[in-house]
Amino acid sequence: MQYTFPNYYKEFSCIAGACPDTCCAGWQIVIDDQTLKKYQHFKGPFRNRLHNDIDWKQHVFRQYNRRCAFLNEENLCDIYTEAGPEMFCRTCRNYPRHIEEFEDVREVTLSVSCPEVARILMNKKEPVHFLTYETDEEEDYEDFDPFLYSKLLDARDVMIEILQDREKKLNLRAALILAIARDLQECIDEEDIFSMDDVFDYYQAEEGVREVKNALAEVDYYTSVSYTHLTLPDEEDS
């Protein structure tokens, strides 16, 4: 099994109550079956609260004012303090770590929805690169398409190369990525995987870059025209 992760991965550590936001509010936190069983058999004074503040039908923690029932006023988790970190569900244990699984490949990333991850990433001066290591594990997927997978890996390499090209403005780099993604999706929808190479070549060549530049310029023009002819209420009265 091959594991891949960004070079800044090990720099991350949850800053808990010092975080300017919290990952325990605003969304339903799903509890995996294994952890639910641990909660069902938990003993001790925390048992009643644990049982009362879980929606056992939906397999989620209850919320109050869109905050997890176990999130206290200091933005710390009462499950952690009262029962221990081993009682975290899989979601709380892993976030902001995210794992994509492919045949014999695990790609581990950090979600930039976490403020601390975003801070680490945005403070990087050098281009991000990825590290890999391998284990003896093996796994087969019945519906795995190795050819499509290899083309998607090629697509990602092309996109990263474009994103790290500091000679291009950021809006141009972003627009190129969107254009590539759009055209690649058309190839996949039409089951024309071989044409994906043509997409790579086109947007890495001057012709493709020029097309995207022109599209951006057109958007900028119509945006400026719209604002130029915008009439404010007080202007109508004068």
Side-chain angles (χ1 to χ4, degrees), residues 96-112:
R97 302 164 189 86
H98 177 74
I99 302 174
E100 288 288 348
E101 299 184 0
F102 307 96
E103 187 172 82
D104 290 333
V105 173
R106 295 293 180 272
E107 297 187 345
V108 188
T109 56
L110 294 169
S111 173
V112 291

Side-chain angles (χ1 to χ4, degrees), residues 17-183:
C19 185
D21 202 346
T22 175
C23 54
C24 306
W27 62 303
Q28 289 282 2
I29 302 175
V30 177
I31 310 169
D32 56 282
D33 292 339
Q34 183 177 357
T35 305
L36 271 177
K37 291 179 181 178
K38 291 168 66 175
Y39 291 160
Q40 287 174 334
H41 297 96
F42 185 83
K43 306 294 183 182
F46 194 62
R47 173 184 173 85
N48 286 342
R49 184 180 170 199
L50 196 60
H51 279 239
N52 291 336
D53 283 331
I54 290 175
D55 185 330
W56 296 93
K57 290 183 179 181
Q58 299 296 324
H59 294 190
V60 297
F61 295 116
R62 296 191 187 281
Q63 289 190 333
Y64 302 104
N65 295 324
R66 302 191 74 226
R67 290 168 59 90
C68 175
F70 296 97
L71 183 65
N72 62 34
E73 293 181 357
E74 288 75 36
N75 278 350
L76 298 175
C77 177
D78 285 338
I79 292 179
Y80 184 97
T81 56
E82 299 292 335
E86 66 277 3
M87 293 300 290
F88 269 166
C89 67
R90 185 181 302 145
T91 301
C92 297
R93 186 168 57 250
N94 289 343
Y95 182 85
R97 302 164 189 86
H98 177 74
I99 302 174
E100 288 288 348
E101 299 184 0
F102 307 96
E103 187 172 82
D104 290 333
V105 173
R106 295 293 180 272
E107 297 187 345
V108 188
T109 56
L110 294 169
S111 173
V112 291
S113 60
C114 167
E116 178 62 8
V117 173
R119 184 194 66 79
I120 293 171
L121 181 58
M122 297 306 291
N123 283 334
K124 288 294 176 187
K125 301 298 183 183
E126 71 281 1
V128 172
H129 61 275
F130 296 87
L131 308 173
T132 62
Y133 70 91
E134 294 189 7
T135 68
D136 294 332
E137 304 170 77
E138 291 186 3
E139 189 172 51
D140 293 326
Y141 283 12
E142 293 182 1
D143 58 349
F144 183 72
D145 186 337
F147 184 63
L148 175 59
Y149 176 70
S150 68
K151 289 301 176 186
L152 292 176
L153 289 181
D154 292 341
R156 181 169 60 186
D157 289 341
V158 170
M159 290 179 174
I160 290 176
E161 182 178 345
I162 290 172
L163 287 171
Q164 293 185 339
D165 182 1
R166 305 297 175 86
E167 293 184 1
K168 293 183 177 68
K169 291 184 178 180
L170 182 57
N171 65 337
L172 175 58
R173 285 179 270 166
L176 283 166
I177 297 305
L178 290 173
I180 291 172
R182 176 200 60 202
D183 290 2

